[in-house]
């Protein structure tokens, strides 16, 4: 499947195809890119896929330099970016050269930042290898490294020339990482396309079994949905907020637990449940719409409830959300499946109620601690 991303000055294609890894050389040649390529990746990813990518590039006449960076968030620092600039300078990359990211979203963000800044911008190509990177991080042109005090603070918009997605690469992804990425897929369906969500619901078996044809269709569909938003809002102003569905509460849950308790996707799943219930509470959505969202999240193996949430900390983090304008935090709401609206000025008590409702044991203040609950959380909960 090929998804075209139509942007004024720099349109590009997202190719989703089992076996796409082996076509990278021919495709770069087809784009007329210069002969030098810097392959930015982590050692573990290179061991899995490096040989195939390098062979394909060399067979098409490219000179490849491998830039090994740390795995995951550890890659997203200015120090690693500087090592990247040095490596590609020594390999004599010029304005016609290409920085190629191979790996998860963290590698993509770092490599994209290096590509955006080296010589004020060189060609950038992405080969994302996690679900999250394939349906989310690789699309939209946002690149960044982290500041010690804030994630993704230092960055630039830099659109890729090509995104190459080989669903077969997902066969080696740990189960938890795989399921986490499905949260973004479900999110896209809920707020953007009811027929797509129905396809996900009907495909849970082959999807979670990572059957390549199903992955191609579902991942390609998700790319199409995110691309349609990016096309209408390239610089991330108003419309892209829609992609934050489940994320206002989801991010706060992650931050409240030091990014250690849940993966991003798990926190987003909980955030979707809470924000769906918020819509019902505000009279915007029916219970049927809310239950459908919970059912599909549970079906793909994501959490829909959790004990031990420090509700007041979560509320305080939401109030300081960086997307707040004049102190008003925008919530994306899904009045029905396949539709969304932005809601400002949601009463704090309503947010509190839906976050508390995530506890399956019932969020009764002062209730006796259940098994596995941390005393700290329980004490906090009593004060709610
Ligand atoms: N630019 C954007 O628009 C955007 C959007 C969403 C998220 N992000 C960023 O993406 C990052 C998260 O991305 P992620 O979830 O891909 O995490 P990640 O990049 O940290 O990768 C997760 C883990 O999966 C491993 N891995 C990757 N591919 C694999 C494969 N095929 N087989 C086995 N293991 C594999 C990696 O080595 C790593 O340990 C965050 O830094 C986030 O800020 C960016
Ligand atoms: Zn997300």
């Amino acid at each position: 499947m090929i998804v075209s991303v139509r942007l004024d000055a720099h349109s590009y294609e997202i190719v989703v195809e089992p076996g796409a890894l082996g076509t990278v050389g021919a495709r770069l040649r087809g784009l007329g890119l210069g002969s030098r390529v810097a392959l930015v990746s982590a050692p573990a990813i290179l061991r899995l896929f490096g040989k195939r990518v390098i062979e394909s590039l060399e067979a098409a006449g490219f000179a490849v330099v491998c830039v090994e960076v740390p795995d995951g968030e550890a890659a997203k620092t200015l120090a690693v970016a500087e090592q990247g600039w040095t490596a590609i300078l020594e390999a004599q990359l010029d304005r016609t050269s290409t920085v190629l990211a191979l790996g998860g979203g963290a590698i993509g963000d770092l490599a994209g930042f290096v590509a955006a800044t080296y010589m004020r911008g060189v060609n950038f190509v992405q080969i994302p290898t996690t679900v999250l990177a394939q349906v989310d991080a690789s699309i939209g042109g946002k690149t960044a490294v982290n500041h010690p005090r804030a994630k993704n603070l230092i960055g630039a918009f830099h659109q890729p020339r090509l995104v190459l997605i080989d669903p077969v690469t997902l066969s080696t992804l740990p189960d938890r990482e795989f399921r986490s990425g499905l949260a973004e897929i479900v999110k896209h369906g809920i707020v953007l396309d009811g027929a797509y969500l129905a396809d996900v619901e009907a495909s849970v078996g082959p999807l979670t079994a990572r059957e390549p044809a199903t992955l191609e269709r579902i991942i390609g569909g998700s790319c199409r949905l995110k691309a349609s938003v990016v096309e209408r809002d390239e610089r991330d102003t108003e419309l892209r907020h829609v992609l934050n569905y489940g994320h206002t509460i989801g991010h706060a849950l992650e931050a409240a637990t030091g990014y250690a308790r849940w993966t991003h996707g798990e926190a987003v799943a909980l955030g979707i449940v809470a924000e769906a219930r918020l819509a019902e509470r505000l009279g915007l959505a029916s219970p049927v719409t809310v239950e459908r969202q919970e059912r599909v999240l549970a079906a793909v193996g994501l959490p829909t409830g959790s004990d031990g949430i420090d509700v007041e900390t979560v509320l305080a983090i939401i109030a300081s959300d960086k997307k707040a304008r004049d102190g008003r935090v925008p919530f994306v709401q899904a009045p029905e499946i396949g539709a969304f609206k932005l809601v400002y000025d949601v009463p704090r008590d309503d947010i509190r109620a839906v976050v508390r409702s995530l506890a399956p044991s019932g969020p009764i203040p002062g209730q006796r601690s259940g098994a596995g609950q941390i005393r700290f959380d329980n004490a906090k909960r009593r004060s709610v």
Side-chain angles (χ1 to χ4, degrees), residues 45-332:
I45 308 291
L46 283 168
R47 271 195 297 279
L48 289 169
F49 313 117
K51 188 163 174 281
R52 248 181 306 158
V53 170
I54 293 167
E55 277 176 5
S56 171
L57 288 166
E58 289 181 344
F62 290 98
V64 185
V65 58
C66 245
V67 181
E68 287 196 16
V69 298
D71 200 10
E73 284 303 302
K76 289 176 61 173
T77 69
L78 268 186
V80 175
E82 184 171 359
Q83 288 162 18
W85 294 319
T86 305
I88 62 182
L89 179 66
E90 283 173 357
Q92 298 179 328
L93 264 73
D94 61 25
R95 282 248 164 79
T96 69
S97 307
T98 301
V99 172
L100 174 62
L102 174 69
I107 300 275
D109 277 8
L110 176 270
F113 180 70
V114 169
T117 46
Y118 181 72
M119 292 186 164
R120 298 192 188 86
V122 294
N123 299 312
F124 178 43
V125 170
Q126 300 237 49
I127 306 184
T129 61
T130 64
V131 179
L132 181 130
Q134 293 182 352
V135 303
D136 189 356
S138 68
I139 308 165
K142 286 201 218 174
T143 76
V145 295
N146 299 326
H147 186 275
R149 292 200 211 156
K151 205 168 136 52
N152 295 328
L153 190 73
I154 314 299
F157 280 95
H158 191 60
Q159 299 292 346
R161 298 292 306 270
L162 170 74
V163 178
L164 200 56
I165 295 176
D166 189 341
V168 179
T169 57
L170 300 179
S171 60
T172 50
L173 199 61
D175 192 52
R176 197 172 174 200
E177 292 287 345
F178 180 82
R179 282 185 285 105
S180 295
L182 299 180
E184 309 290 349
I185 286 180
V186 169
K187 174 196 79 177
H188 287 151
I190 293 170
V191 285
L192 293 168
D193 188 341
Y196 174 76
L197 188 73
D199 191 9
V200 173
E201 289 166 330
S203 310
V204 166
L207 178 63
T208 52
R210 309 187 200 183
E211 198 268 314
T214 305
L215 286 175
E216 178 181 355
R217 189 179 75 255
I218 299 293
I219 286 173
S222 218
C223 292
R224 177 178 55 78
L225 291 171
K226 175 151 185 189
S228 72
V229 172
V230 170
E231 283 175 347
R232 284 176 283 161
D233 182 12
E234 185 180 348
R235 305 296 292 194
D236 195 7
T237 54
E238 189 82 21
L239 178 67
R240 270 209 213 184
H241 276 322
V242 60
L243 301 172
N244 267 326
Y245 185 55
H247 281 62
T248 307
I249 292 176
H251 276 149
L253 289 168
E254 279 186 285
T257 48
Y259 297 88
R261 179 164 174 195
W262 296 290
T263 63
H264 174 69
E266 289 164 354
V268 167
L270 293 170
I272 289 175
V273 171
E275 293 180 24
R277 290 178 186 169
L278 187 62
E280 184 184 350
R281 209 179 151 85
L282 299 176
L284 292 168
S286 73
V288 174
T289 300
V290 177
E291 279 155 24
R292 185 168 166 199
Q293 298 176 53
E294 293 180 22
R295 245 195 335 267
V296 63
L297 289 168
V300 298
L302 286 164
T304 56
S306 173
D307 267 323
I309 293 173
D310 182 349
V311 179
E312 290 311 311
T313 300
V314 172
L315 284 178
I317 293 167
I318 291 172
S320 65
D321 192 296
K322 69 175 177 190
K323 296 204 168 52
R325 274 199 265 142
D326 304 327
R328 301 159 78 216
V329 180
F331 273 91
V332 180

